[in-house]
Structures are given as structure tokens and as C-alpha cells.
Amino acid sequence: MTITYHSGRRIQGLSEPTFVDNLSTDKGWTTSNSNFLAYDGSSNELDWLVNQSVSQDNEIYLSVGTLNDEKFVARFQYDVDTATVNDGNLIELFIGMSDSTGVGSQDFIGMYHKYRSTLDDWGAIDDNSTSQLTNINGTDAGSITGNTGTYYCEIIRLSSTTYNVTMYTNSDYSGIEWQTSTLTVDAGVTGLQYFKIMTNNNSISSGGNVLSGSVKNISIANGVTTMSGNDIKPTNVQVGSRYEETDTRKIYYKDDVDFKELDGAEATNYR
């Protein structure tokens, strides 16, 4: 829903996600190797590269706050710019939520992209700190239509023991490219707090397979299983403006610092 402005300083829109990063500024992204995973402020994106000719176990991550162990939604734009295949050796990319930094064993829920001469599969993957993700079989959900393009990924934790992953073709998260069924995850997968991209190649081969692309427009809603939109409360409005969340029915009033929720406990303080 687009934010709308009405008379009497009334503003209407949807509730905000818990975390939003359009990557216009660097919020503190940490990379293990900027040659393969890096924040790109000129293009407002996280660039990734998986190259078969170079040994890779790399990551880039940012803490977004500890997520609910039963419900959350994570969304991001997923661009595949280059897909060059030369042999049968596997290269892998993982994107999702983790409980820790590092590329070793970890609690994780997310998606993967596996690529080689006979394979271009996407799907969902999870782990309860049993092994490095490269040694875990995910759940294939299908292949994309063509090797490159722009897609929109949604990861939903439905309960402590279930989740699903969907890849869409449209920026409003419609038009399903592929979708998993409801998958089982160990209830011990807890404390997820890092949005993370990881790369891996299983073996080195000169002139081997290459995947490259980017991630943009990350948003996370905590404690829910649906995300209604990415509306952000406007900042350039008058003190005393009223913001109405049409999906939650919550009401906020703008003081000279920020919007404050009207909860009935006390009058809004316009400092």
C-alpha cells in the first residue's frame, strides 16, 4: 500500500517491517573477503561472486536483532547477473538467517542456489548446528526460467518446527517462480539474528563455473508470518501529524522527535 496523505494532518499506511535496509548506507556489513562479497554503496546492493577457479568459503553478514523463534518473515531482491558454466563441479550460494558468524556449523534458515553443468537448482535449507551448510542436503524447489534475472525471495518461519521459501518474479511479491511446501525445521534452531550471504565451491578448477549477482532491499518482520508491505513512516511531516496503520489499526502521533504510539496511557508529549 502506498502511504496516503489526508486533511487534518492524517496519514495512512501499513505497519513497518522490524528491519529495513535499502542499502543506501552501510549499516555495518562485515565481509570475510570483499573480492567475493561486498557492500556496494554506489549501486545500493550487496554484491556476491562464486568463482570455481578460487577456493571459497566466504560470508557477509549484519546483525538485525534476535528474531522470534517461531515466527518471522524475511524478504530481499535477488539478482543473478552472470551464470557461466564450464564443468561439472558444484558452486553454491546460501542466503538467510543465522544465529552466528562464520561459515562453519550454525543454526540457519534460508535459501540456496546450486550451479554446475548439469544443475541449476534453487531451494530451501536449514540446519541445527550439525555441519557446514555445504554438507547438508536442502530441499530443491526447482530451477529458474533462464540462468539470469531479477527475483524476489521470501523466507517465512511459520512455527518453531516449520518454514517455507518462495521466489517471486514481481517486486510486490506476486508471480511465483518457485515455492517449497511447508518444510520441517528442528525446534532447536533458535536465536537467529544475522542476515547472511555465504558462498562455497566444492573443488577448484581453472576456468570453472561462475555465478555473480547482488542482493537488494532487505526487509524483515518479526513475530509474524505475513508481511503486508514496506511502508516507512514519513519524517518530513508536521508535529502533531497522525499516522494510522491500516493493517494493525495502531495510531501514532508525531512529536518533534519521532512518531509515538497512542496507547491510551498518557497524552502525546509534543516536546
Side-chain angles (χ1 to χ4, degrees):
M1 172 182 174
T2 302
I3 291 176
T4 56
Y5 296 84
H6 307 273
S7 60
R9 293 181 288 184
R10 288 180 57 244
I11 308 164
Q12 290 185 322
L14 298 171
S15 56
E16 296 181 1
T18 308
F19 172 87
V20 176
D21 193 353
N22 64 8
L23 300 166
S24 59
T25 59
D26 186 354
K27 292 186 176 181
W29 290 92
T30 300
T31 179
S32 60
N33 190 326
S34 60
N35 292 321
F36 301 102
L37 291 163
Y39 168 77
D40 180 357
S42 62
S43 300
N44 299 342
E45 63 188 26
L46 300 174
D47 294 328
W48 53 264
L49 168 65
V50 196
N51 191 334
Q52 188 71 47
S53 62
V54 182
S55 178
Q56 284 192 254
D57 276 311
N58 297 311
E59 65 173 347
I60 187 169
Y61 60 86
L62 177 73
S63 175
V64 301
T66 302
L67 299 183
N68 187 289
D69 292 331
E70 297 183 353
K71 298 177 182 179
F72 68 80
V73 182
R75 285 179 171 180
F76 54 90
Q77 179 179 326
Y78 181 64
D79 293 335
V80 183
D81 299 329
T82 302
T84 304
V85 63
N86 291 298
D87 60 38
N89 291 311
L90 187 66
I91 56 178
E92 301 170 303
L93 182 79
F94 306 95
I95 306 175
M97 301 306 306
S98 174
D99 72 328
S100 59
T101 63
V103 296
S105 61
Q106 59 197 280
D107 285 7
F108 186 87
I109 296 176
M111 63 150 282
Y112 67 80
H113 187 174
K114 296 183 177 182
Y115 187 64
R116 63 184 178 194
S117 59
T118 59
L119 184 72
D120 186 9
D121 281 347
W122 303 34
I125 192 165
D126 63 88
D127 188 44
N128 184 19
S129 296
T130 60
S131 180
Q132 189 170 347
L133 291 180
T134 55
N135 299 322
I136 299 167
N137 291 321
T139 302
D140 291 342
S143 300
I144 61 172
T145 306
N147 291 330
T148 60
T150 296
Y151 304 91
Y152 302 87
C153 183
E154 181 178 66
I155 302 163
I156 304 179
R157 188 163 196 174
L158 298 163
S159 70
S160 62
T161 57
T162 57
Y163 76 106
N164 63 31
V165 179
T166 305
M167 194 70 76
Y168 297 92
T169 55
N170 301 317
S171 60
D172 63 352
Y173 289 82
S174 65
I176 295 175
E177 179 71 18
W178 59 255
Q179 185 177 45
T180 68
S181 59
T182 298
L183 303 174
T184 300
V185 60
D186 194 297
V189 175
T190 59
L192 304 181
Q193 62 174 302
Y194 297 97
F195 184 92
K196 182 186 290 190
I197 307 173
M198 291 177 286
T199 61
N200 175 263
N201 54 7
N202 288 57
S203 61
I204 300 173
S205 61
S206 178
N209 307 320
V210 176
L211 275 175
S212 69
S214 63
V215 166
K216 301 176 181 176
N217 299 319
I218 302 163
S219 55
I220 298 170
N222 197 21
V224 296
T225 57
T226 60
M227 187 183 295
S228 50
N230 287 333
D231 289 354
I232 304 299
K233 295 180 183 67
T235 57
N236 58 337
V237 295
Q238 293 175 297
V239 169
S241 294
R242 169 182 167 128
Y243 186 88
E244 303 168 356
E245 291 183 350
T246 57
D247 54 336
T248 66
R249 300 302 177 188
K250 291 182 179 179
I251 297 173
Y252 299 79
Y253 279 93
K254 178 73 163 57
D255 65 14
D256 62 350
V257 178
D258 200 355
F259 278 97
K260 303 295 192 302
E261 183 179 356
L262 180 65
D263 58 7
E266 57 184 39
T268 305
N269 177 22
Y270 299 114
R271 293 186 296 277

